[in-house]
Amino acid sequence: MRTYRDENEIKLKEVVCNRCGKKLKIENGMIKEGCFSADTVFGYFSEKDGIHHRFDLCEACYDTILADFTIPVTETEEKELC
């Protein structure tokens, strides 16, 4: 869950893991630790047609959820990080 310093959602104030409630480290409006962010709108043929979900997970909660996957995620290494 994210909160911002302004209504334009430009400068981050706080990011809290939606699963465990941990506050992630923020410096100058940037997240300074591992964070998984999801942002999706469910389409037709789902039980959530038109519902928008947005959430953040700390790296530990992300790893816990991945451990339950039957088919592992595809991993590739990026040459440059943003």
Side-chain angles (χ1 to χ4, degrees), residues 16-60:
V16 178
C17 176
N18 284 79
R19 184 172 180 267
C20 72
K22 174 185 174 184
K23 290 184 180 181
L24 279 65
K25 184 176 180 181
I26 303 290
E27 284 183 13
N28 297 320
M30 292 180 56
I31 303 170
K32 293 292 194 166
E33 61 182 291
C35 178
F36 173 82
S37 296
D39 188 345
T40 191
V41 177
F42 287 88
Y44 295 117
F45 313 111
S46 76
E47 298 294 320
K48 298 172 185 66
D49 291 359
I51 304 294
H52 186 181
H53 281 196
R54 185 183 301 173
F55 63 91
D56 296 288
L57 298 173
C58 68
E59 193 168 358

Side-chain angles (χ1 to χ4, degrees), residues 55-68:
F55 63 91
D56 296 288
L57 298 173
C58 68
E59 193 168 358
C61 287
Y62 177 78
D63 290 342
T64 298
I65 290 170
L66 286 188
D68 288 337

